[in-house]
Structures are given as structure tokens and as C-alpha cells.
Amino acid sequence: MIEGIKGESVEAWWPLVEEYLNAALKHGLGEYSIADIKSACKSKDMQLWVKVGKQAKGAFVTKIAKYPQKNLLCVILLGGNEFHTWRDEADALLNAFGKQHNCEYVELFGRKGWGKVLKDIDYKEVTRLFAKEIK
């Protein structure tokens, strides 16, 4: 089961998911710190989701991006164990939550390998993000 964690409960869940989120953050450009993510989840600017079994198996963080023409549900971070076993549940949850908040797409940026993991559930590679540090 995947639990949506309310802002006031983030602190209690954090020790169970922080390692998964930190691992995912290592693949970004440093645009968020783990403290930023925690704060945004507590203030409800972002949403924390936890895959729960006998213990926390993984976690992901979403944010609703409101653009002038449409809303998107953005997956900011995703980390955990055995994602292939809970991928479909996460996808169903993202679709339902996105629809509830008038989002037209689920958006995520990730490494090339995500294309293989998500292709059969109708995620299409639209773009790849390339970045260079300005020195």
C-alpha cells in the first residue's frame, strides 16, 4: 500500500524514508536539499508518498505545477527498493491524484533507464534534460 503523508505527519515518517530520498537527490543538480524537500512536504507545497509493507520500501515526492495553460503533476524524487513490484500502484495513485487536482500530465525527469521501466505503462520520453555547470 502507498500512503499519502499529511504535512503534520511528515516528521514522524521522515526517518523511514530519508535515505531513499537522499539517494534520489544525488542524481539531481543540487536544486533541492533534503531539508528543502522535508520543509515543502510539511508545508504541503509538495506531497510525500510512502510505499509501506512490513517497513517502508520506498518513497516519492510530487509537486503540482500550475502553468497558465494546464497543470502538471511532477514527480520530484523517487527512491526505494523493488520499485518494479509497486510501480503500477504508484502509477495508479499518480493518475488518480493528478486527476483530482486537474492535472493533465504526470511529469518526471530521470536517467535513461527509466524509459525501459515506464514504457509499458504509457510513459513516453518527451525530452532528456542535459545540463552543464556554469563556471
Side-chain angles (χ1 to χ4, degrees), residues 81-126:
N81 297 322
E82 302 174 352
F83 178 67
H84 65 280
T85 65
W86 50 280
R87 178 201 70 169
D88 292 346
E89 181 184 2
D91 182 53
L93 184 145
L94 290 166
N95 281 291
F97 185 77
K99 188 177 282 191
Q100 180 183 355
H101 292 277
N102 300 311
C103 296
E104 293 186 38
Y105 290 92
V106 174
E107 174 184 80
L108 61 92
F109 287 93
R111 294 173 289 153
K112 183 179 178 181
W114 281 107
K116 295 176 192 170
V117 174
L118 300 172
K119 184 176 183 177
D120 67 318
I121 55 172
D122 297 327
Y123 283 81
K124 294 170 183 49
E125 184 177 324
V126 176

Side-chain angles (χ1 to χ4, degrees), residues 30-102:
E31 59 270 54
Y32 295 108
S33 71
I34 195 70
D36 297 331
I37 298 292
K38 182 179 182 182
S39 177
C41 290
K42 288 173 74 172
S43 69
K44 301 177 186 172
D45 290 331
M46 292 182 184
Q47 301 80 41
L48 174 63
W49 307 92
V50 179
K51 172 60 179 169
V52 181
K54 292 181 182 176
Q55 57 192 21
K57 293 177 77 173
F60 56 100
V61 175
T62 57
K63 179 177 180 158
I64 299 169
K66 296 185 179 198
Y67 294 102
Q69 301 303 313
K70 57 185 70 182
N71 297 338
L72 304 179
L73 180 59
C74 302
V75 179
I76 305 297
L77 295 172
L78 188 150
N81 297 322
E82 302 174 352
F83 178 67
H84 65 280
T85 65
W86 50 280
R87 178 201 70 169
D88 292 346
E89 181 184 2
D91 182 53
L93 184 145
L94 290 166
N95 281 291
F97 185 77
K99 188 177 282 191
Q100 180 183 355
H101 292 277
N102 300 311

